[in-house]
């Protein structure tokens, strides 16, 4: 596999074929490539940055003038990082901009700022592909040694038949792999220095989602956790260079490709999986899961029949995973969450001290627009000495903010 350890910067522009981009990322990483994704301004109407972040394990870059992204890996660094730039799908508009040297967004700027070889996989309506302007632009790109994969012919999203469909993702990935084998001048291994990332080399264990406590073979006790907050932490921790073990209760989310996913059902399963994962040189433990506090004492072997008006189910307390990890002799840096409906600071500080944690993120779950099963969240983070207020924002951005604080505190630990 020629793509092994090659840095591929995947540019995705705004055409219907952009929905295939997550699959293309999987194919490229499957061939061993390191993939970072840049979205053109219109591409995120067709594909979400979160799904591309999940499959690539890296932050998705979108804006040229983004102070936060520039503080991480800036656009010139990104252009230098790339061994190859692949634009798929490349729209007619994108081809025109490349042919004429426009640099009015992040992707086109990177193309001008890089010495990496450029590959494009065009995708457009057959009449647009045949248009003289597109064909003239294609000739210019060919003359500049930009490699063009496809397009294929067949039925198009608009109902037309003809040339203009993007090649299948496995064809694009294989052609890129082959191009690198065939052209010795192209990189066969990463040759650029790697940026030191804040969590580089750290093993982070994250619990996420709800647990389910069985009542009988068809019923269980659970809660409204969607796993979004914990999965966002996993995505951002990977992007910051960590090795991530994600211990997840049942959720409906794709796990980031590069993390080690441990799916569990009950609190007891999560307890066993957490202690096992922490024993494997864990540096940081983040308990984001909404663990059921109690489980059913006698789980019925058969489905309980509704032949009484009242039913009593006896519960017993589950072990506290977070407290047990914090109590280990060589415990990792331990971060808890506190989901509270009132007296947020009081209860969060109580949990910080009682469970002997290094940090706690207090989550006001009385507000219906944040917390459980919401896109956004807001946190107040406490350590024994200080506090940080992270205002309402989407969970992915919030996860990055929280991990920056964790990285900072771990460096003092
Ligand atoms: O999943 P989402 O829909 O994105 O929602 C995110 C969230 C609201 C679930 C998350 O932000 C959050 O607040 N998680 C903690 C929920 C919770 O159970 O809080 P708690 O205050 O009951 O528990 C305190 C801490 O102890 C938590 O870190 C919890 O993971 C941990 N715990 C609790 C009980 C137990 N038996 N074992 C534990 O480890």
């Amino acid at each position: 596999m020629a793509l092994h350890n090659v840095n591929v910067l995947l540019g995705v522009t705004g055409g219907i074929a952009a929905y295939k981009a997550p699959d293309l990322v999987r194919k490229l990483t499957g061939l061993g490539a390191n993939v970072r994704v840049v979205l053109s301004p219109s591409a995120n109407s067709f594909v979400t940055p979160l799904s591309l972040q999940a499959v690539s394990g890296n932050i998705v870059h979108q804006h040229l003038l983004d102070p936060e992204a520039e503080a991480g890996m800036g656009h010139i660094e990104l252009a230098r990082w790339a061994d190859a730039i692949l634009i798929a799908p490349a729209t007619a508009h994108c081809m025109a901009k490349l042919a004429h040297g426009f640099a009015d967004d992040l992707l086109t700027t990177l193309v001008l700022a890089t010495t990496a070889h450029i590959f494009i996989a065009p995708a457009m309506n057959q009449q647009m592909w045949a248009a003289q302007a597109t064909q003239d632009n294609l000739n210019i790109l060919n003359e500049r040694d930009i490699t063009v994969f496809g397009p294929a012919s067949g039925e198009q999203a608009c109902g037309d038949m003809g040339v203009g469909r993007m090649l299948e993702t496995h064809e694009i990935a294989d052609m890129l792999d082959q191009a690198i084998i065939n052209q010795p001048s192209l990189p066969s291994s990463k040759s650029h220095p790697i940026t030191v990332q804040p969590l580089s080399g750290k093993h982070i264990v994250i619990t996420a989602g709800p647990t389910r406590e069985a009542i009988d073979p068809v019923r269980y006790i659970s809660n409204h956790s969607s796993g979004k907050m914990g999965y966002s932490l996993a995505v951002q921790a990977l992007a910051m260079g960590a090795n991530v073990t994600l211990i997840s209760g049942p959720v409906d989310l794709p796990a980031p490709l590069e993390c080690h996913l441990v799916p569990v059902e009950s609190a007891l399963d999560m307890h066993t999986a957490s202690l096992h994962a922490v024993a494997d040189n864990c540096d940081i433990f983040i308990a984001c899961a909404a663990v059921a506090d109690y489980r059913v004492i006698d789980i019925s072997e058969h489905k309980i029949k509704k032949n009484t008006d009242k039913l009593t189910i006896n519960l017993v307390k589950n072990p506290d995973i977070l407290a047990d990890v914090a109590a280990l002799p060589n415990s990792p840096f331990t971060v808890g969450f506190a989901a509270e409906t009132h007296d947020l600071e009081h209860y969060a500080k109580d949990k910080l001290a009682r469970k002997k944690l290094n940090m706690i993120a207090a989550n006001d779950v009385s507000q219906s627009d944040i917390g459980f099963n919401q896109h956004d969240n807001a946190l107040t983070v406490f350590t024994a000495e200080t506090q940080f207020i992270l205002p309402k924002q989407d969970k992915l951005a919030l996860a990055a903010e929280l991990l920056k604080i964790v990285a900072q505190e771990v460096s003092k630990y």
Side-chain angles (χ1 to χ4, degrees):
M1 289 188 293
L3 278 178
H4 180 71
N5 222 18
V6 169
N7 291 343
V8 177
L9 197 144
L10 175 65
V12 180
T13 65
I16 186 77
Y19 82 90
K20 295 183 178 173
D23 190 48
L24 179 54
V25 173
R26 283 189 191 275
K27 297 281 185 321
L28 294 168
T29 52
L31 290 170
N34 308 313
V35 180
R36 284 182 176 271
V37 182
V38 173
L39 289 183
S40 77
S42 55
N44 62 13
S45 306
F46 299 92
V47 61
T48 67
L50 181 58
S51 57
L52 287 162
Q53 249 172 245
V55 288
S56 69
N58 284 312
I59 285 180
V60 170
H61 303 264
Q62 298 187 72
H63 308 291
L64 184 55
L65 303 173
D66 179 347
E68 203 169 307
E70 290 292 305
M73 186 180 267
H75 70 279
I76 296 296
E77 220 174 339
L78 206 51
R80 290 190 186 133
W81 173 87
D83 293 319
I85 294 187
L86 168 65
I87 305 180
T91 58
H93 184 61
C94 166
M95 287 176 62
K97 292 213 294 189
L98 297 186
H100 298 284
F102 279 79
D104 59 349
D105 60 30
L106 179 59
L107 181 59
T108 48
T109 302
L110 290 173
V111 168
L112 291 186
T114 192
T115 54
H117 195 90
I118 318 279
F119 303 81
I120 64 170
M124 64 198 76
N125 164 269
Q126 52 86 26
Q127 193 55 56
M128 292 172 78
W129 175 252
Q132 195 55 54
T134 305
Q135 291 302 308
D136 289 347
N137 291 333
L138 178 66
N139 288 336
I140 295 172
L141 298 178
N142 278 331
E143 274 167 26
R144 283 200 205 129
D145 267 338
I146 289 182
T147 305
V148 183
F149 296 150
S153 67
E155 194 175 348
Q156 303 200 295
C158 54
D160 279 10
M161 288 289 285
V163 179
R165 281 168 59 99
M166 188 170 85
L167 293 177
E168 294 302 326
T169 53
H170 68 89
E171 295 176 292
I172 297 171
D174 288 347
M175 285 167 101
L176 184 65
D177 198 54
Q178 202 55 44
I180 286 176
I181 292 174
N182 292 343
Q183 294 192 34
S185 60
L186 294 179
S188 59
S189 68
K190 190 167 56 191
S191 51
H192 303 304
I194 306 164
T195 316
V196 178
Q197 294 168 298
L199 294 172
S200 188
K202 302 281 184 216
H203 178 205
I204 303 194
V205 176
I206 299 168
T207 67
T211 62
R212 283 182 185 170
E213 310 304 322
I215 298 172
D216 69 11
V218 297
R219 303 181 180 96
Y220 55 80
I221 299 170
S222 192
N223 58 64
H224 293 293
S225 169
S226 63
K228 285 180 201 164
M229 191 68 238
Y231 276 55
S232 298
L233 285 165
V235 167
Q236 299 293 22
L238 285 165
M240 291 163 93
N243 300 320
V244 177
T245 301
L246 178 60
I247 301 173
S248 173
V251 297
D252 194 15
L253 292 172
L257 193 66
E258 290 177 19
C259 78
H260 174 51
L261 175 71
V262 185
V264 295
E265 284 267 328
S266 66
L268 287 182
D269 296 341
M270 189 174 271
H271 186 259
T272 308
S274 299
L275 291 179
H276 187 259
V278 165
D280 184 16
N281 289 324
C282 171
D283 299 291
I284 301 165
F285 179 74
I286 306 181
C288 185
V291 184
D293 291 316
Y294 292 89
R295 68 180 182 280
V296 177
I297 293 179
D298 292 314
I299 302 170
S300 171
E301 198 184 329
H302 301 291
K303 184 179 170 196
I304 298 171
K305 291 288 171 198
K306 47 179 183 297
N307 46 15
T308 52
D309 286 342
K310 284 187 178 172
L311 178 69
T312 304
I313 297 173
N314 289 312
L315 304 176
V316 62
K317 205 166 187 181
N318 272 321
D320 192 313
I321 303 167
L322 178 61
D324 286 356
V325 168
L328 289 170
N330 284 319
S331 64
F333 185 91
T334 306
V335 183
F337 271 69
E340 309 294 347
T341 52
H342 59 287
D343 292 333
L344 194 69
E345 180 168 348
H346 169 74
Y347 286 121
K349 283 184 168 170
D350 172 64
K351 282 176 186 166
L352 178 73
R354 197 165 30 84
K355 300 191 187 193
K356 299 191 169 50
L357 310 178
N358 299 98
M359 185 183 282
I360 195 148
N363 209 153
D364 183 352
V365 291
S366 68
Q367 296 180 40
S368 59
D369 57 341
I370 58 168
F372 284 94
N373 201 16
Q374 295 299 317
H375 179 72
D376 294 335
N377 206 2
L379 297 169
T380 307
V381 181
F382 298 97
T383 66
E385 295 83 33
T386 184
Q387 81 175 58
F388 306 85
I389 292 171
L390 304 182
K392 181 180 162 188
Q393 55 199 300
D394 71 71
K395 285 179 178 168
L396 202 55
L398 186 69
E401 293 297 310
L402 178 60
L403 287 169
K404 273 186 217 159
I405 297 172
V406 171
Q408 194 180 304
E409 294 297 311
V410 166
S411 66
K412 302 181 202 158
Y413 184 51

